[in-house]
Amino acid sequence: MSVKRSAVRIGDLLIKEGVITSDQLEQALAAQNRSENEPLCAALSRLNILSEEKSLPILARQLGMEIISVDQQKISADLLKLVPARIATRYHILPVSREGQSLRVATADPLNIKVFDELQMLTHCTILPVLVLGQQLTEAIRHYYGVGADMVESMVDDGELAKAAELREAAEDLDKIGGEASTVKFVNQLLLEAVRDRATDVHLEPYEKRLLIRYRIDGILYEVPVSADMKRFHSGIVSRVKVMCNLNVAEHRLPQDGRTKVKVGGRDLDLRVSILPAAFGESVMIRLLSTNVVLGLEQIGLLPDHLALLEKMVVKPHGIVFVSGPTGAGKTTTLYAALARMNDRKRKVITIEDPIEYLMPGITQIQVHPKIDFTFAAALRSVLRHDPDVVMLGEVRDFETAETAIRTALTGHLVFSTLHTNDAAGCMTRLLDMGIEPYLAASSLECAIAVRLVRLICPECRAKGCPQCRQTGYKGRTGIFEFLVLDEDIRALVLRRASAGEITKMACSKGMRTLREDGMEKVRRGLTTIEEVMRVTEMDAS
């Protein structure tokens, strides 16, 4: 090995260079002890004491080692077979190349001589350690071996596949499949990785010869690398998810929906699970919701003029405000931000939802149950007996709900709700299509807000692509908005059943910014890109 056997510690080298103090080292060592297998340099970086970008060159110079970027390496399957996934994951190492009997191994902890000794005995090769950034190494290990690959190896070695096959012979024992230790660990690891990647949804999709796992991050689906053997454990994984949500483990023919609360990575999460029977097994979708995390109006991406408009809407004594857009466009986030502003204890606020997304102290929240005829419209009629000032209706889906909401607004209540339309003007035409009389729509509606979510330029790399943004150039999302406030001219158009195009044209002549125009303003402010704005507004412009 190229690293000399020495009692020197990484911390001593960094203190000698004058880049950290003894107190900072002790702080990092304490943090390192609480995090299993975390290299010291990674702990220093996590505590914002010293970045790995600064510490690695010091170590390389002191130890005479090479620094590489694993992003630029092409690692063959044969090379990966030399180092099993459980070894690579446990010791945070990755084989990168081999010449004869010399094996170059990427590491972020170059003085862990014991690991290299074990690796030398395992591979019968001379180990040549090379330095790499810890986060980059973590991503590379996951990319080449797949999420949970070490656990899959354990399950294969321990014969868990055979045990699962035996259990499937007896339906009453099916729940035990989801209780196998390695299966439980894999599901936990899958959720932990999803949280670390900022995923909002986890999709498990079985096909004939593989199990496809994807995370939805910032609205885009990304495939998660997994071991080719993962398909063999699909039934156990699904069973584990069912057990977590108290679903029927023996039922494979019908769709099932469930939910549960878990703590992942120190965060309390509400998991919404949907299971569908598909051609090659059950497909699973898990939505990850942080409990009690509601953004304020200032945090959802409203520019100053739009923020002022919405501030006016939330203090109106009566009327309807619709938020429109397709599924996943940010409607619920916008509604909850408005609710948080109205939750001042001076007004009675009641919500009718399906499902209740976030619990908000001070607000009465009601869950509808259509199977027992407790619909949005039925709930709204009962809610009015509780003397509300503000009612938030999860969605207007039909004539009965729309008519009840309008009459609620006309009798002195402020109503917020959502509609599935492409733009703000579409809210008016959708109500008329439902059968609402034009005079009722014109007299009750105060404002229609269309919303979409665009990805933000990654602050770490400014759209160049880095490990923090998964090489996409984007990290996080913000809203773009279209505010159509009804005045006498707009109401007159609604009364004569004008088209959405006519209403939009009139509103734009009065200063309304379309979704695309609001997005382009955020481009000018350096928040997102033209390509991203065009992507989310392309359908609306067609």
Side-chain angles (χ1 to χ4, degrees), residues 124-152:
H124 305 291
C125 292
T126 300
I127 306 301
L128 305 176
V130 291
L131 285 172
V132 67
L133 291 172
Q135 180 61 34
Q136 191 182 104
L137 182 56
T138 299
E139 291 296 327
I141 292 171
R142 187 173 70 166
H143 171 74
Y144 284 107
Y145 288 102
V147 173
D150 53 329
M151 297 174 196
V152 173

Side-chain angles (χ1 to χ4, degrees), residues 261-531:
K261 292 183 182 296
V262 297
K263 185 181 284 291
V264 180
R267 291 173 54 190
D268 291 321
L269 291 179
D270 195 354
L271 305 186
R272 307 287 171 79
V273 173
S274 179
I275 298 177
L276 288 174
F280 297 102
E282 292 173 287
S283 181
V284 179
M285 197 286 290
I286 305 173
R287 175 151 293 174
L288 311 175
L289 295 170
S290 294
T291 59
N292 299 323
V293 177
V294 177
L295 299 178
L297 288 181
E298 298 83 2
Q299 299 171 292
I300 61 176
L302 293 167
L303 294 177
D305 58 336
H306 282 168
L307 177 59
L309 281 174
L310 194 47
E311 293 275 15
K312 289 181 181 178
M313 293 301 141
V314 300
V315 297
K316 281 188 172 290
H318 54 76
I320 296 182
V321 176
F322 278 117
V323 181
S324 73
T327 301
K331 299 188 301 296
T332 300
T333 300
T334 303
L335 280 180
Y336 271 98
L339 282 176
R341 182 57 55 88
M342 292 184 283
N343 188 18
D344 56 9
R345 305 302 174 95
K346 295 178 182 178
R347 289 180 286 181
K348 173 92 170 183
V349 182
I350 301 179
T351 72
I352 304 170
E353 307 176 59
D354 184 24
I356 296 173
E357 297 283 356
Y358 302 102
L359 295 175
M360 301 182 69
I363 292 178
T364 302
Q365 296 175 266
I366 299 170
Q367 167 76 55
V368 301
H369 296 284
K371 290 182 179 179
I372 57 173
D373 291 328
F374 188 53
T375 61
F376 281 111
L380 184 53
R381 287 192 292 269
S382 298
V383 158
L384 294 179
R385 303 188 188 102
H386 281 251
D387 188 31
D389 296 292
V390 180
V391 177
M392 192 276 273
L393 200 57
E395 184 183 349
V396 171
R397 299 175 179 172
D398 50 45
F399 170 78
E400 184 183 13
T401 307
E403 185 183 45
T404 307
I406 285 174
R407 299 205 178 276
T408 299
L410 292 176
T411 54
H413 303 84
L414 182 59
V415 179
F416 277 74
S417 189
T418 69
L419 277 173
H420 286 279
T421 63
N422 284 335
D423 57 12
C427 291
M428 273 69 80
T429 55
R430 177 60 57 84
L431 290 174
L432 302 186
D433 289 344
M434 286 181 182
I436 298 299
E437 290 296 330
Y439 76 92
L440 289 175
S443 58
S444 61
L445 195 59
E446 293 291 334
C447 181
I449 306 167
V451 60
R452 297 291 187 279
L453 293 173
V454 294
R455 292 178 293 172
L456 291 166
I457 291 173
C458 175
E460 304 294 331
C461 65
R462 301 309 298 173
K464 294 179 181 178
C466 68
Q468 294 296 320
C469 63
R470 300 173 62 90
Q471 308 300 327
T472 64
Y474 298 100
K475 185 177 181 181
R477 290 192 290 176
T478 192
I480 58 174
F481 299 87
E482 181 178 290
F483 274 70
L484 196 161
V485 180
L486 275 76
D487 60 12
E488 292 306 314
D489 293 329
I490 301 293
R491 295 184 201 280
L493 290 178
V494 176
L495 284 171
R496 67 176 180 83
R497 295 180 179 271
S499 68
E502 291 178 89
I503 295 173
T504 297
K505 185 176 180 180
M506 173 68 76
C508 288
S509 71
K510 292 172 175 289
M512 183 186 82
R513 273 199 313 278
T514 65
L515 283 165
R516 180 167 291 181
E517 289 168 344
D518 195 53
M520 290 304 177
E521 179 58 32
K522 289 181 168 65
V523 172
R524 284 189 285 272
R525 296 180 182 223
L527 299 174
T528 188
T529 64
I530 293 175
E531 293 78 13

Side-chain angles (χ1 to χ4, degrees), residues 57 72 204 245 250:
Q72 300 172 358
L204 292 90
C245 299

Side-chain angles (χ1 to χ4, degrees), residues 111-122:
L111 294 181
N112 196 344
I113 304 299
K114 181 180 177 182
V115 171
F116 302 131
D117 284 345
E118 291 184 12
L119 198 58
Q120 187 162 305
M121 288 188 290
L122 175 70

